[in-house]
Amino acid sequence: MKLLQKDIEKDNAGQVTLMPEEAEDMWHTYNLLQVGDSLRASTIRKVQTESPTGSVGSSRVRTTLTLSVTTIDFDSQACQLRVKGTNLEENQYVKMGAYHTIELELNRKFTLAKKSWDSVVLDRIEQACDATQKADVAAVVMQEGLANLVLVTPAMTLLRAKVEVTIPRKRRGSCTQHEKALERFYEAVMQAILRHINFDVVKCILVASPGFVKDQFITYLFKEAVRQDNKILLENRPKFMLVHSSSGHKYSLKEILSDPTVTSRLSDTKAAGEVKALEDFYKMLQHEPDRAFYGLAHVEKAADALAIDTLLISDKLFRHQDVTTRNRYVRLVDSVRDNGGGNVRIFSSLHSVRGQLALLCLYHSSVSL
């Protein structure tokens, strides 16, 4: 998704102009839309024309309409989004108040206006427009003197850093210059990893090379992490996976990702993290039931007591047609983030665990209610 314009006032009213670039963006748009919003987009309208002789014909014309949204229909299989509403701005083809259905299209911009943009919707826009938020896989493809650090999203690969260091050949009787150059190279790759990888999002870091370069680098990386007491690297050590590649060039990434051991490890990584969060909740519900709660009323009491460690909530709740009910869920999320400092996991209703998360759930670790 591309954010083309954002104009939101201090009272949270305003509009944004977006351009969906891939099928997944239609799902994000579906979660942004609510009944009563104003949507302006290009669309096709069938119009009737009458000739001077009195014969009536019809044609399809492209026009731009602004609708007050009344119905939102999303086809999850085809990733198609249709929005029905009444026309707010009369033009030569459509009268004021007439109904029309817009089918949003890829690579065609639309403008969405709301009376109030809440934190959940704004987070959704940030998530949809920031490619790094989708990249739960990172890869370091390397050989001696060359490394490419890549983020892998569902739709593309993003080259975030390229490290090149000249490595002198080993000389008979002395390897000092060679070893010093390798150390400078490994240090530069380590800094690139710390700078460009968001460990809160990335679930797996592939380190690939021909020969033993990857093994030597990993040894250096965690030796330095211990020496520098770098908790980020040490805590995320299980995420690193060593893989063979034929070279350190970016084109080797295709070869790496097609490796059966890699595809097994990476299968639905983002979904796997959500499954684990739900499993943790059920374990706590079984073994420490005084610390696990579900249902809106109980969860709100825990939030009031600043007792929430992790909140699990379905995005389906934020599509509630009743504004008061929806705002209640938004306030709960804001309360957990701002007051209790807890984590919030918003589960997609298209996720494989959506049936288990039909109710709003959480577990917390500080107060038993």
Side-chain angles (χ1 to χ4, degrees):
M1 187 90 81
K2 187 178 291 183
L3 178 62
L4 302 179
Q5 186 179 359
K6 184 178 179 181
D7 183 18
I8 298 177
E9 304 295 335
K10 290 182 179 179
D11 62 355
N12 291 328
Q15 64 183 36
V16 297
T17 301
L18 299 162
M19 182 184 291
E21 297 177 303
E22 55 189 83
E24 186 182 354
D25 292 337
M26 291 302 180
W27 171 245
H28 289 300
T29 305
Y30 173 57
N31 282 281
L32 295 176
L33 285 164
Q34 292 174 261
V35 172
D37 290 348
S38 169
L39 176 69
R40 182 175 178 82
S42 176
T43 184
I44 301 292
R45 179 78 173 183
K46 185 177 180 180
V47 296
Q48 288 189 335
T49 55
E50 186 175 344
S51 69
T53 60
S55 61
V56 177
S58 65
S59 61
R60 293 165 62 84
V61 297
R62 182 168 287 278
T63 185
T64 300
L65 295 179
T66 303
L67 302 182
S68 175
V69 178
T70 58
T71 307
I72 307 159
D73 179 32
F74 180 70
D75 182 344
S76 60
Q77 299 301 316
C79 279
Q80 291 180 332
L81 181 58
R82 296 180 183 87
V83 184
K84 183 178 180 180
T86 53
N87 186 30
L88 293 174
E89 298 177 7
E90 186 170 353
N91 67 15
Q92 65 182 105
Y93 304 115
V94 187
K95 295 180 180 179
M96 281 276 289
Y99 278 93
H100 183 79
T101 299
I102 293 177
E103 182 172 330
L104 293 178
E105 304 172 60
L106 294 180
N107 299 309
R108 282 193 183 274
K109 67 180 182 180
F110 65 87
T111 299
L112 178 62
K114 289 178 177 287
K115 294 178 181 178
S116 178
W117 290 85
D118 58 54
S119 60
V120 172
V121 176
L122 292 174
D123 284 348
R124 171 73 69 167
I125 291 177
E126 184 178 344
Q127 176 189 348
C129 296
D130 183 0
T132 61
Q133 293 297 315
K134 305 176 186 177
D136 54 0
V137 178
V140 181
V141 190
M142 63 195 308
Q143 62 190 45
E144 278 198 0
L146 172 67
N148 290 282
L149 193 156
V150 177
L151 296 180
V152 183
T153 76
M156 68 189 82
T157 57
L158 301 171
L159 179 65
R160 306 305 292 176
K162 185 174 184 178
V163 178
E164 292 182 285
V165 174
T166 302
I167 309 291
R169 292 186 177 181
K170 293 181 181 179
R171 295 183 178 180
R172 184 176 296 178
S174 175
C175 299
T176 307
Q177 294 301 316
H178 176 82
E179 290 173 355
K180 284 184 177 179
L182 270 181
E183 191 168 315
R184 286 199 307 274
F185 171 59
Y186 292 153
E187 173 64 21
V189 177
M190 174 180 170
Q191 293 305 319
I193 288 173
L194 291 171
R195 189 178 305 116
H196 295 288
I197 293 180
N198 182 350
F199 286 94
D200 292 332
V201 176
V202 171
K203 303 294 189 298
C204 181
I205 302 111
L206 304 172
V207 181
S209 78
F212 296 100
V213 176
K214 60 184 180 299
D215 305 271
Q216 293 166 358
F217 169 68
I218 286 294
T219 301
Y220 171 87
L221 180 70
F222 289 106
K223 183 179 177 182
E224 282 298 297
V226 171
R227 187 180 69 82
Q228 298 175 18
D229 192 26
N230 189 311
K231 290 184 171 59
I232 293 177
L233 287 175
L234 294 174
E235 289 173 0
N236 288 279
R237 185 167 188 163
K239 295 181 180 180
F240 286 82
M241 179 181 182
L242 300 184
V243 191
H244 172 78
S245 68
S246 56
S247 79
H249 294 279
K250 186 185 172 184
Y251 62 75
S252 294
L253 187 63
K254 183 177 179 181
E255 164 199 345
I256 296 161
L257 294 176
S258 62
D259 186 311
T261 58
V262 174
T263 53
S264 174
R265 169 78 181 267
L266 299 186
S267 60
D268 206 10
T269 48
K270 190 176 289 293
E274 294 183 348
V275 170
K276 184 180 184 303
L278 196 58
E279 285 177 352
D280 290 344
F281 168 75
Y282 281 122
K283 284 180 183 176
M284 185 166 285
L285 188 62
Q286 182 179 2
H287 300 293
E288 298 179 85
D290 290 342
R291 294 175 56 197
F293 294 86
Y294 59 90
L296 182 56
H298 292 291
V299 171
E300 285 179 325
K301 287 181 180 179
D304 291 340
L306 305 183
I308 297 178
D309 178 51
T310 302
L311 174 70
L312 311 181
I313 184 168
S314 169
D315 61 7
K316 184 177 181 180
L317 298 174
F318 301 109
R319 295 195 295 274
H320 204 287
Q321 297 302 318
D322 181 59
V323 176
T324 304
T325 303
R326 185 185 187 283
N327 288 341
R328 191 175 173 186
Y329 294 127
V330 172
R331 285 196 302 272
L332 174 62
V333 169
D334 289 342
S335 173
V336 173
R337 285 174 174 165
D338 300 337
N339 301 326
N343 299 315
V344 176
R345 279 185 172 271
I346 299 178
F347 282 56
S348 168
S349 54
L350 291 183
H351 191 279
S352 58
V353 299
R354 63 188 181 276
Q356 300 176 61
L357 201 68
L359 294 174
L360 180 149
C361 324
L362 74 85
Y363 63 83
H364 65 85
S365 58
S366 53
V367 174
S368 297
L369 298 178

